[in-house]
Amino acid sequence: MFRPNRNLPKAIKVLFISILVISISGFSPNNQNTKIIPGERHDNQTTDGENSRVIGSGNNIADIKKEAGEMPVYGNWKTFTKKDGLPANKAYCVRIDGDRVLVGTSGGLGVYENGEWRTYTVEDGIAHNGILAIDVSELTGDVWLGTLGGLTRWSAGRFDTFTQLNSGLANNVIYSVICDGKHVWSATGGGAGDYNTYTDEWEIYMERNAPMHEPWTYGVCAGDDKIWIAAWGGGVIEFNTKTKKFRDYIDPDSQMELDVFPDDGVVHDITTGVSYDEGILWVATYFGVNRYDGAHWNTYFDHDSGLLSNFNNFCRAVGPVIYFCTDLGLSTFNGNTWVSYQRNESNASGKVMITNGPKLTDDIKIREFPVPTSICHNFTIGVDVQDDEIWVATSYGVSRGERLKK
Amino acid sequence: MKKKGLIYLFIALAVILLLGVPAHRMSREHVNYITAVEDHPLNCFSCHLYIQKDNFLAKLVNTTYLSPFNLAVSPDGGKLYIVAQEGDVLVVIDSQSDQVLDKIPVGKHPHSVVLNHAGNTAFVSNQWEDNIYEIDLNSLNVIDTLKTGSGPAGMVLSKDEKFLYVVNSFGNEVSVIELDSKTEKKRLVAGNNPTGLAISHSGDLIYVSSRRVLPRPARAPVKTEMTVIDATKQRVKERKMFKHAYMMENVEFASTGDLAVATLIRLKNLVPSIQVEQGWMMTHGFGIIETGEDGRIIQLLTDEPNSYYSDPFDVVITPDGEKAFISSSGIDVINVIDLNKVRKLIAESTPEELKTYSNHLGISSRYVLKRIPTGANPKGLVLSPDGKYLYVAERLEDRIAVINTKTLETEKHIDLDGPSRITMARKGRRLFNNSGRTFQNQYGCYTCHPDAAEDGVAYNMAGVGMGRNVTNTQTLRDVGDIPPFKWNGHNQSVYKQDGMRFSTYLTRTEPYNYDELDALVSYIVTGIINPPNLAYNPTGELTEAQKRGEKVFFRTHTNCGKDIKPKDRCYVCHPPPDFTNKNFENVGSLSESDDSIPFDTPQLNNLSSSSPFLHDGRAKTLEEIWTTYDPGDRHGITSDMTKDDLNDLVKFLRSIRDARYYTKYYSEEYEELLKEYYSNNEYRNLK
């Protein structure tokens, strides 16, 4: 049995005994169950016993906006499905074009304008009803549709289709399309294609003439005289339109299952999407995402950041913000703050999850805000943003959201 | 002495008989073969002199005409500016004194001229140079050159004169050129082979008229596009479709703002060409485009039951919007249309009636005020600013007709100071462009062969077997050296092609007399050249992709190393310079309605501008020839090719230019192959 030394000062003896009593009683600040205060930050508070990173929080819009800082936050979601006029429930892509919204679905092109939906299909001249990609030329206003059966240009009511049989298009299955001035680039199942609208000529790039492992390409984007191609098994292929030279970015550690060294390059060679804006290239893969500023790579996973899931179908950069379409919802990020949107399984409401830092640390946690409306489905496949409006294409409908104002 | 003289005479006569009789017989047989008749005069000059192309004799016999095509008038009406299409000059005329003030050299094959509002600057489109010349009209000098797309034709200035809109007739688009920076800002996709355009008086709309039909499934009804551009946004706003019509050469807005008028031809190519009366192959007229919201398109004819007014080219409307003048270039007439009567007809008719009127040959009497005869081949029109005079470019006369718009009479002709003599080829060209030799003047050679090329349409010419042997129109450019003619190769010469057979099956009238036939042949054989292939091969230096394609074209082994038999090699049936072996081949493209015959191998020169392809036009693009219509590798071995092999081959084919570029030299790499080909008769007689 421990006995205090009789020679110690009396105060110290009292302190020592107090500590002993407290320890025996089991009291500890760290074990105290603190009440969750909506909108306030509480370290080490969890609502989910299994995931210690997710923290319960308030649901006030002001709180959400405050937490998100400069990041846009969207709400007042409205969902459209086939019963509302969408051609089909499976929506692959979406593009906002001025006053109208174009949605590519498995059943044709849906055009939302003046509060109504119109549908266009193969009967109207589209190559195939499965429309996987849409872009609109800034120069001409022509709409380019990447479909499962070819590339279609929709211009002032006329549909012109390019297939691998009637043109130089590499392959009819088109996953992504981008307009870059007079050029239209497509990522297809048989290589990437560059269509020069002035000369009516095609250049196609596959493993024979570009640093690709195989010709299956999933995404393409353009910016600053460069084209980036997300190549399945080939990482990211960069094409300089001035020098006509290629280079590639592949996973430096070549490990399919591990990220051996953090932030050393593209996280994985199986890339599904690329997007570029304001000098930043964003890469989406099935195993995480990347940010590249031309010199430095940053990798983000669902376990170390506010990214909802490593499984990413698509990404789109709008200004400084990237929008990642994951299989568990929509994640957005501006390099500092994550804002993710997820629908509840059992009802139409959902949650907004905000992470005030690029990576999770002891001090940086995910704060979760319940919200009354959400995206229609968590398997998100496409997204577009214009001004204060966001549209998200999912495997069950499309959702339109508004940017929440303070 | 007398005896000796008789002997010499006898010997001379004997020599003459011995040589002359067989010589005569040979000549007779030769001429009979070439002309396919037995009584064509034996006159060596009528063929051999007038079909020379490039040598000393040709220079002696031929000359270069001006051939006025389009024109503009200065804002004060004092000067005319005339594009001379063959002369490559802009002719400046004093409209009062009729004096030729200047001939300003411009680019190759100029098409149109447009003036700015102040009248001190002109823009001339050089169709065969892919550029625009900007001309200072004070100094009469070219001061700048603006780059365009392929084949610049019609032009308009925006209302604020900050932009020049140029139709690229070969590239099927409209270039938008910013005049401050003199740079092309964008290109807007138009219809097929667009040539004319007009801007509304408010300046917010531009209409672009196209000549050729849009791609469609084989034997589907045709439609041609009028592209509507929003000039404020500089984007295509709408594409108006003209059903059953094509060859919309030009369009004009009425100042009243309620309508625009376009020239057009209504085509009847889906039925065999046997119903010679009541419409037959095509009818001619104009389209009214109502400019209001939900504006309709109404097609009306200028033709009459027993007389057609072929190849309408240009249209101008009087400042009060009441009269339209249309040049019928195939029959040398200006049709004067009372637009108020047209408006009345449209207002009083039901949609069903209007549909009927579009095929009604008797309806034109309600609105055609007069038909004013002109000189040969009237093309571009312009009204004086006060509307009192109509100026007509009489292309094959080298002069301008001046018509009083009140009396509707020709007051005078202004000579442009071109060559005074009329060559044989020029006579032939006049015949080519005139429908006077066709039943009821319904069409001329130009109608199916605009610019002596092809109209992109397949016809069922009434021959043996109704509904059989549908064939795609072929180009006539540079065909003189590539007999035989017709898809089945039955015509060994142009004489035969345009002789009795032509009148039996095509024109249904008396055939050309021999002088006329000689003239027509002279024009076809010597006067029709290919435009330069500036889009794909401007200098002869092939790109890397084209070189790869050339390799594919000349390959002798497949990608697996297997030998390709000579009969399956591209260059054996399509050797340079004309890229035809002038022989008959069966490439597996016969359809059920075709007779079982091989086809005459077509030339490939300037192939890029002659879609659709194959004998019946079923292949809309070059790629389709092999991806869709060559299942058994009968049109060359292509089944082992990768997609980029085929792409490269197509790029090479598009790069092929006029035959004159290939007569003396071909790529060193392939000269040996060609030498072997030319020396091996077996190659050239392969079946």
Side-chain angles (χ1 to χ4, degrees):
Chain A
M1 173 96 180
F2 178 76
R3 288 182 183 176
N5 192 318
R6 286 183 185 180
N7 293 327
L8 284 173
K10 188 176 180 182
I12 292 173
K13 286 180 189 173
V14 169
L15 179 62
F16 179 75
I17 291 166
S18 300
I19 291 172
L20 191 63
V21 168
I22 290 169
S23 298
I24 291 168
S25 73
F27 177 80
S28 162
N30 285 337
N31 289 331
Q32 194 172 45
N33 284 325
T34 308
K35 183 179 175 186
I36 296 171
I37 299 173
E40 283 195 11
R41 182 186 170 125
H42 298 275
D43 290 343
N44 296 326
Q45 289 285 316
T46 65
T47 56
D48 179 346
E50 291 179 4
N51 187 349
S52 61
R53 297 179 298 113
V54 180
I55 302 172
S57 225
N59 61 0
N60 184 284
I61 288 179
D63 294 326
I64 294 172
K65 289 290 299 167
K66 186 180 172 188
E67 186 66 24
E70 294 301 314
M71 275 289 283
V73 180
Y74 299 93
N76 297 327
W77 294 96
K78 182 174 166 52
T79 287
F80 301 92
T81 61
K82 197 171 173 183
K83 66 176 172 54
D84 303 301
L86 197 64
N89 285 332
K90 189 180 280 295
Y92 294 119
C93 56
V94 60
R95 204 76 170 107
I96 304 173
D97 178 29
D99 294 334
R100 63 181 185 177
V101 178
L102 312 168
V103 180
T105 77
S106 59
L109 174 70
V111 179
Y112 187 69
E113 192 170 13
N114 298 324
E116 288 185 0
W117 285 96
R118 284 196 318 277
T119 293
Y120 297 91
T121 67
V122 292
E123 299 292 324
D124 301 292
I126 297 180
H128 193 284
N129 283 344
I131 299 170
L132 305 181
I134 304 174
D135 200 16
V136 180
S137 168
E138 282 183 12
L139 276 181
T140 65
D142 293 343
V143 175
W144 290 85
L145 307 173
T147 82
L148 287 169
L151 181 69
T152 295
R153 174 180 57 206
W154 183 34
S155 175
R158 192 180 96 192
F159 290 95
D160 298 314
T161 283
F162 304 86
T163 70
Q164 65 191 67
L165 296 185
N166 73 3
S167 73
L169 179 69
N171 184 272
N172 280 351
V173 179
I174 301 171
Y175 293 105
S176 180
V177 64
I178 195 89
C179 299
D180 180 36
K182 65 183 181 186
H183 293 266
V184 178
W185 283 82
S186 50
T188 84
D194 169 18
Y195 176 58
N196 185 325
T197 59
Y198 283 12
T199 63
D200 189 34
E201 289 205 310
W202 292 83
E203 294 292 338
I204 57 177
Y205 302 104
M206 48 186 81
E207 73 279 14
R208 298 212 305 176
N209 59 354
M212 295 180 189
H213 289 208
E214 50 185 283
W216 198 352
T217 52
Y218 252 173
V220 63
C221 71
D224 289 343
D225 299 326
K226 291 194 179 118
I227 302 292
W228 290 274
I229 300 160
W232 179 276
V236 173
I237 316 290
E238 177 187 286
F239 178 74
N240 188 311
T241 57
K242 297 275 189 221
T243 64
K244 311 289 182 204
K245 298 272 189 238
F246 279 102
R247 66 152 298 169
D248 61 344
Y249 301 95
I250 55 174
D251 181 9
D253 55 46
S254 302
Q255 291 296 317
M256 296 284 271
E257 303 299 333
L258 302 170
D259 190 37
V260 177
F261 295 106
D263 301 335
D264 60 348
V266 178
V267 64
H268 206 281
D269 288 343
I270 298 181
T271 48
T272 56
V274 280
S275 193
Y276 180 89
D277 206 351
E278 294 195 359
I280 306 294
L281 175 70
W282 301 91
V283 183
T285 83
Y286 285 154
F287 301 90
V289 300
N290 282 110
R291 177 185 186 275
Y292 180 55
D293 64 6
H296 309 97
W297 286 91
N298 299 103
T299 302
Y300 305 94
F301 297 104
D302 59 8
H303 64 263
D304 70 359
S305 72
L307 181 68
L308 273 173
S309 169
N310 287 338
F311 191 97
N312 288 263
N313 293 308
F314 179 78
C315 65
R316 188 187 296 284
V318 181
V321 181
I322 183 67
Y323 298 79
F324 288 112
C325 295
T326 84
D327 63 336
L328 294 179
L330 180 75
S331 282
T332 71
F333 180 48
N334 66 354
N336 277 312
T337 305
W338 291 87
V339 179
S340 296
Y341 305 83
Q342 196 173 61
R343 181 192 172 95
N344 292 336
E345 282 186 20
S346 53
N347 55 44
S349 59
K351 40 185 175 274
V352 173
M353 288 157 284
I354 301 174
T355 311
N356 236 316
K359 295 282 180 84
L360 294 175
T361 65
D362 287 342
D363 296 322
I364 299 173
K365 310 291 179 185
I366 300 171
R367 301 195 73 212
E368 188 177 297
F369 297 83
V371 286
T373 62
S374 188
I375 54 177
C376 44
H377 197 281
N378 286 332
F379 197 96
T380 55
I381 312 174
V383 64
D384 198 9
V385 173
Q386 182 175 281
D387 299 326
D388 292 338
E389 197 171 297
I390 184 171
W391 284 77
V392 182
T394 79
S395 62
Y396 197 86
V398 291
S399 291
R400 175 190 174 279
E402 293 173 356
R403 182 167 178 169
L404 297 176
K405 305 287 188 189
K406 282 184 180 164
Chain B
M1 281 298 289
K2 200 175 177 182
K3 196 175 177 183
K4 229 183 198 177
L6 280 171
I7 290 170
Y8 286 146
L9 184 61
F10 177 75
I11 292 169
L13 281 171
V15 167
I16 288 169
L17 272 172
L18 281 170
L19 291 177
V21 168
H24 182 272
R25 190 185 310 125
M26 279 170 56
S27 303
R28 182 75 262 165
E29 284 172 0
H30 168 70
V31 170
N32 289 356
Y33 173 75
I34 292 295
T35 61
V37 294
E38 294 179 350
D39 59 350
H40 190 286
L42 286 181
N43 180 350
C44 303
F45 291 132
S46 68
C47 299
H48 292 282
L49 183 61
Y50 299 118
I51 62 169
Q52 301 300 318
K53 283 166 87 168
D54 300 315
N55 55 22
F56 167 73
L57 273 178
K59 289 183 174 57
L60 201 64
V61 161
N62 295 315
T63 188
T64 302
Y65 294 92
L66 291 169
S67 299
F69 191 60
N70 278 312
L71 65 174
V73 63
S74 60
D76 63 1
K79 291 202 185 70
L80 288 173
Y81 300 92
I82 299 131
V83 166
Q85 198 177 46
E86 266 190 274
D88 298 342
V89 292
L90 182 71
V91 183
V92 185
I93 300 276
D94 183 314
S95 63
Q96 300 305 312
S97 65
D98 299 347
Q99 200 181 351
V100 174
L101 298 175
D102 204 345
K103 289 178 184 173
I104 306 167
V106 292
K108 293 290 290 176
H109 207 76
H111 188 282
S112 293
V113 58
V114 65
L115 270 55
N116 64 351
H117 295 156
N120 53 17
T121 304
F123 298 91
V124 174
S125 55
N126 301 310
Q127 197 179 31
W128 289 13
E129 254 184 35
D130 291 356
N131 60 31
I132 306 281
Y133 277 11
E134 183 181 357
I135 299 174
D136 180 288
L137 293 179
N138 293 320
S139 62
L140 298 182
N141 284 324
V142 175
I143 56 174
D144 210 342
T145 304
L146 313 177
K147 196 80 183 69
T148 65
S150 183
M155 299 173 285
V156 288
L157 279 163
S158 61
K159 199 173 176 189
D160 58 10
E161 299 194 320
K162 287 187 177 171
F163 294 93
L164 181 67
Y165 293 84
V166 183
V167 168
N168 297 316
S169 58
F170 304 152
N172 302 336
E173 65 214 348
V174 174
S175 285
V176 182
I177 298 177
E178 186 185 61
L179 290 175
D180 282 343
S181 59
K182 304 286 174 71
T183 54
E184 184 186 46
K185 285 298 173 197
K186 63 173 79 171
R187 291 187 197 172
L188 302 172
V189 175
N192 193 356
N193 189 211
T195 49
L197 72 173
I199 190 164
S200 62
H201 286 253
S202 59
D204 56 352
L205 286 181
I206 295 172
Y207 281 8
V208 183
S209 62
S210 297
R211 300 205 302 174
R212 291 170 63 132
V213 301
L214 290 172
R216 73 237 176 268
R219 310 307 286 154
V222 304
K223 58 183 177 185
T224 304
E225 180 178 306
M226 176 78 68
T227 315
V228 181
I229 295 174
D230 181 325
T232 311
K233 295 179 185 170
Q234 294 184 334
R235 288 191 170 182
V236 176
K237 180 182 176 183
E238 189 185 352
R239 299 180 190 276
K240 294 184 184 287
M241 297 299 166
F242 281 66
K243 293 181 184 172
H244 308 292
Y246 78 146
M247 291 305 290
M248 296 196 294
E249 301 256 21
N250 280 293
V251 60
E252 180 66 278
F253 280 92
S255 60
T256 43
D258 60 328
L259 55 81
V261 181
T263 55
L264 55 81
I265 297 177
R266 285 180 61 78
L267 190 56
K268 292 148 181 39
N269 68 313
L270 295 183
V271 294
S273 58
I274 55 163
Q275 189 195 337
V276 175
E277 299 182 23
Q278 297 297 322
W280 194 16
M281 302 266 281
M282 59 272 291
T283 49
H284 312 269
F286 55 96
I288 296 288
I289 308 122
E290 294 176 326
T291 53
E293 196 69 30
D294 300 324
R296 297 170 295 173
I297 295 170
I298 298 111
Q299 298 182 40
L300 295 168
L301 300 179
T302 49
D303 296 338
E304 291 172 333
N306 295 320
S307 188
Y308 297 79
Y309 294 89
S310 61
D311 303 328
F313 181 77
D314 202 1
V315 54
V316 291
I317 301 175
T318 51
D320 58 12
E322 294 187 357
K323 278 206 284 281
F325 297 90
I326 294 175
S327 54
S328 290
S329 58
I331 198 57
D332 306 341
V333 145
I334 303 295
N335 293 287
V336 186
I337 311 292
D338 186 327
L339 284 179
N340 284 335
K341 289 188 177 170
V342 170
R343 289 182 178 98
K344 187 166 181 286
L345 177 71
I346 292 171
E348 290 173 352
S349 304
T350 63
E352 290 69 34
E353 284 171 333
L354 288 175
K355 202 174 167 187
T356 303
Y357 294 155
S358 64
N359 290 315
H360 198 305
L361 289 173
I363 208 73
S364 62
S365 59
R366 295 209 203 172
Y367 44 76
V368 174
L369 286 174
K370 192 172 181 180
R371 306 185 200 270
I372 307 170
T374 69
N377 200 222
K379 287 289 191 183
L381 304 172
V382 73
L383 281 164
S384 58
D386 57 12
K388 285 185 179 172
Y389 294 104
L390 174 71
Y391 299 100
V392 182
E394 296 176 321
R395 182 162 76 150
L396 300 182
E397 300 278 3
D398 273 8
R399 69 181 191 197
I400 305 296
V402 183
I403 295 174
N404 184 308
T405 58
K406 196 171 177 187
T407 63
L408 301 181
E409 298 285 340
T410 303
E411 283 198 356
K412 60 180 177 179
H413 296 274
I414 302 174
D415 198 294
L416 298 184
D417 200 25
S420 55
R421 67 187 174 96
I422 304 297
T423 63
M424 188 68 87
R426 186 71 159 179
K427 281 185 203 164
R429 192 173 184 185
R430 285 178 173 175
L431 288 167
F432 186 94
N433 283 276
N434 190 279
S435 59
R437 280 290 184 276
T438 309
F439 182 75
Q440 295 178 350
N441 311 322
Q442 191 172 90
Y443 59 86
C445 307
Y446 176 94
T447 314
C448 297
H449 296 281
D451 301 336
E454 79 292 309
D455 60 1
V457 176
Y459 294 86
N460 181 202
M461 297 298 184
V464 175
M466 189 74 64
R468 295 187 62 75
N469 302 313
V470 170
T471 48
N472 191 23
T473 310
Q474 288 182 289
T475 182
L476 297 182
R477 288 174 172 161
D478 206 23
V479 295
D481 296 327
I482 56 164
F485 303 100
K486 212 178 155 197
W487 273 108
N488 57 17
H490 280 182
N491 296 329
Q492 66 269 21
S493 67
V494 178
Y495 285 94
K496 186 179 177 190
Q497 175 77 17
D498 294 335
M500 183 61 74
R501 170 201 165 270
F502 191 63
S503 68
T504 303
Y505 291 109
L506 279 164
T507 62
R508 311 290 181 128
T509 58
E510 290 299 309
Y512 292 113
N513 64 40
Y514 293 135
D515 287 339
E516 290 168 339
L517 192 55
D518 290 347
L520 187 62
V521 170
S522 172
Y523 169 61
I524 290 173
V525 170
T526 68
I528 306 175
I529 59 172
N530 279 301
N533 189 352
L534 297 178
Y536 300 111
N537 189 355
T539 64
E541 187 68 34
L542 297 184
T543 64
E544 288 306 313
Q546 289 167 346
K547 283 181 188 167
R548 291 195 302 265
E550 184 185 49
K551 204 170 175 180
V552 173
F553 185 84
F554 280 98
R555 71 178 191 161
T556 56
H557 292 77
T558 66
N559 287 338
C560 308
K562 194 176 164 192
D563 179 60
I564 300 176
K565 293 180 190 158
K567 72 175 181 64
D568 293 322
R569 298 177 190 173
C570 303
Y571 72 90
V572 170
C573 292
H574 294 283
D578 300 295
F579 292 87
T580 169
N581 60 359
K582 307 173 202 174
N583 212 335
F584 299 92
E585 309 293 345
N586 182 347
V587 293
S589 61
L590 288 172
S591 67
E592 283 181 6
S593 61
D594 288 322
D595 292 339
S596 291
I597 50 162
F599 292 123
D600 171 41
T601 308
Q603 57 166 306
L604 303 183
N605 302 101
N606 273 51
L607 192 63
S608 57
S609 58
S610 62
S611 65
F613 305 101
L614 295 180
H615 72 283
D616 54 4
R618 70 178 77 150
K620 294 189 280 295
T621 64
L622 286 170
E623 287 87 353
E624 283 189 345
I625 294 173
W626 296 286
T627 61
T628 311
Y629 301 114
D630 186 30
D633 269 352
R634 291 188 65 186
H635 196 163
I637 305 294
T638 57
S639 56
D640 67 307
M641 286 188 193
T642 61
K643 181 63 181 165
D644 45 344
D645 286 338
L646 182 62
N647 282 2
D648 289 338
L649 175 64
V650 167
K651 283 179 184 166
F652 168 70
L653 293 174
R654 282 177 160 194
S655 76
I656 297 175
R657 305 190 288 172
D658 190 85
R660 65 182 181 273
Y661 293 107
Y662 302 103
T663 50
K664 289 178 184 167
Y665 169 78
Y666 204 77
S667 298
E668 281 177 21
E669 199 175 342
Y670 307 110
E671 277 218 48
E672 288 305 313
L673 269 180
L674 287 170
K675 276 180 189 166
E676 185 197 5
Y677 164 78
Y678 289 124
S679 64
N680 189 335
N681 283 333
E682 276 187 40
Y683 279 21
R684 293 154 75 186
N685 291 309
L686 289 169
K687 293 287 185 284

